Amino acid sequence: MVIATKIRTSSISSNGSLIEDSLDVKLASMFIETVEKQHQQQQPPPTATIGGMVEQALLAAYREERTVVGLSESINALSKTPEDFLFCLLATSGNPANHMHQVLLEAFCFEHDIYIIKVDSAEKLSRLLGTQRVESCALLQKGWSEGRTEAITDLEDQLVDYCEEHWEAPVKPVIKLPEK
């Protein structure tokens, strides 16, 4: 900043007008262009957003067959082995019957330390998972390495950190899933 200020002041002629062709002005322009390019390169990639991270984690778990899709399927799976699940993704549903199930499912997940991630659209969630029906819930199972020890990916670890920040919040933030 000091260099840019000195360049600007040294490029002013004695009558106060800017000397357009001076070396100082050209150097200042190059400096400003370089700073602007660096700033543009610092824009986060799509996976840097929380919605992008949710999408990538969901797709990875789906490829590894670690997802349970559907509200009733999720309730059934959780009633048998709640310790196997890491995340519960819930989309708001316009169906009043589903709403009551979702509230109970959310309470169950909270009691069993399963991270709840609320997403903005059941349609987007279903499209990501390739289901024919519109589903308002998906569970992500924990990954297991050989020897039956938990294996968590870096992406899932970042989502855990995000969920920990909002664990005690009375109202969970709704994550906007990417459009596609």
Side-chain angles (χ1 to χ4, degrees), residues 144-159:
W144 300 98
S145 65
E146 303 210 14
R148 194 72 179 148
T149 57
E150 281 186 37
I152 188 166
T153 65
D154 290 339
L155 197 56
E156 290 170 342
D157 192 40
Q158 291 174 7
L159 287 175

Side-chain angles (χ1 to χ4, degrees), residues 85-90 109-110 112-118 138-140 142 152 156 159-167 172:
F85 296 95
L86 185 61
F87 298 108
C88 176
L89 280 77
L90 289 172
C109 288
F110 186 79
H112 288 87
D113 297 328
I114 299 168
Y115 298 106
I116 301 160
I117 299 175
K118 291 194 173 187
L139 296 174
L140 273 69
K142 296 175 182 173
I152 188 166
E156 290 170 342
L159 287 175
V160 166
D161 290 343
Y162 173 82
C163 291
E164 287 287 332
E165 290 175 19
H166 302 286
W167 184 256
K172 304 280 186 239

Side-chain angles (χ1 to χ4, degrees), residues 53-67 128-129 140-141 153 155-156:
M53 289 192 304
V54 168
E55 176 187 33
Q56 293 302 315
L58 183 61
L59 292 174
Y62 183 73
R63 282 190 300 272
E64 297 167 8
E65 298 179 355
R66 295 188 295 121
T67 57
L128 280 173
L129 296 167
L140 273 69
Q141 289 179 322
T153 65
L155 197 56
E156 290 170 342

Side-chain angles (χ1 to χ4, degrees), residues 7 46 126 151 157:
I7 290 172
S126 300
D157 192 40

Side-chain angles (χ1 to χ4, degrees), residues 1-7:
M1 290 302 216
V2 173
I3 294 170
T5 305
K6 288 182 179 181
I7 290 172

Side-chain angles (χ1 to χ4, degrees), residues 37-73:
K37 283 181 185 176
Q38 288 174 345
H39 179 69
Q40 288 172 352
Q41 291 173 352
Q42 291 175 354
Q43 297 300 322
T47 56
T49 65
I50 189 68
M53 289 192 304
V54 168
E55 176 187 33
Q56 293 302 315
L58 183 61
L59 292 174
Y62 183 73
R63 282 190 300 272
E64 297 167 8
E65 298 179 355
R66 295 188 295 121
T67 57
V68 175
V69 181
L71 188 59
S72 59
E73 293 86 349

Side-chain angles (χ1 to χ4, degrees), residues 73-154:
E73 293 86 349
S74 296
I75 292 170
N76 191 25
L78 284 171
S79 68
K80 294 176 184 171
T81 55
E83 66 279 356
D84 285 352
F85 296 95
L86 185 61
F87 298 108
C88 176
L89 280 77
L90 289 172
T92 55
S93 172
N95 184 340
N98 280 355
H99 177 71
M100 183 56 73
H101 287 288
Q102 284 183 334
V103 169
L104 293 171
L105 180 64
E106 201 172 333
F108 184 89
C109 288
F110 186 79
E111 283 293 314
H112 288 87
D113 297 328
I114 299 168
Y115 298 106
I116 301 160
I117 299 175
K118 291 194 173 187
V119 296
D120 64 334
S121 168
E123 289 80 13
K124 290 181 193 176
L125 182 61
S126 300
R127 188 172 52 243
L128 280 173
L129 296 167
T131 62
Q132 300 298 321
R133 297 182 318 176
V134 175
E135 299 291 356
S136 61
C137 181
L139 296 174
L140 273 69
Q141 289 179 322
K142 296 175 182 173
W144 300 98
S145 65
E146 303 210 14
R148 194 72 179 148
T149 57
E150 281 186 37
I152 188 166
T153 65
D154 290 339

